[in-house]
Amino acid sequence: MGSENPNYGTFDSSYFKLNAGGSEYEPTTSGEVTMALSSEDDFFLTQVNPDLEKTGTIAFEVGGDVEVSEATLKASPGFWGTKATEIQLSE
């Protein structure tokens, strides 16, 4: 995710939602999953300066019948962001 704002942006995994099979999923906040992620992969209150990018991992807990290849990831630009971007996922 990159910062398109002339100022830096602060991002958090809560700015993301997974839409699949007519349901919307929140990122998991399970301590076990969070501990398995390295600090470099975490999106918790990550700051991104203008014109830079940040990659990371966001974990969602979904059922085994969810088709990830048919899901979309909705990314909001912030807590009060009104303009979201949808990203089509694939396997």
Side-chain angles (χ1 to χ4, degrees), residues 12 31 48 57:
D12 186 70
V48 180
T57 303

Side-chain angles (χ1 to χ4, degrees), residues 3-91:
S3 175
E4 297 171 8
N5 187 318
N7 301 314
Y8 70 88
T10 300
F11 300 97
D12 186 70
S13 61
S14 66
Y15 296 171
F16 299 88
K17 307 281 188 265
L18 182 70
N19 294 313
S23 297
E24 184 173 85
Y25 299 90
E26 302 278 336
T28 186
T29 57
S30 164
E32 199 171 289
V33 172
T34 304
M35 294 298 289
L37 296 174
S38 75
S39 62
E40 293 177 10
D41 289 339
D42 190 12
F43 262 117
F44 181 70
L45 298 178
T46 299
Q47 292 185 353
V48 180
N49 287 319
D51 301 320
L52 296 178
E53 295 182 2
K54 166 73 175 157
T55 60
T57 303
I58 303 168
F60 294 89
E61 186 175 5
V62 300
D65 60 337
V66 171
E67 292 291 332
V68 175
S69 63
E70 297 173 9
T72 57
L73 181 67
K74 186 167 87 175
S76 297
F79 186 72
W80 286 286
T82 57
K83 184 179 177 184
T85 301
E86 291 198 4
I87 303 162
Q88 181 65 45
L89 302 180
S90 62
E91 289 185 27

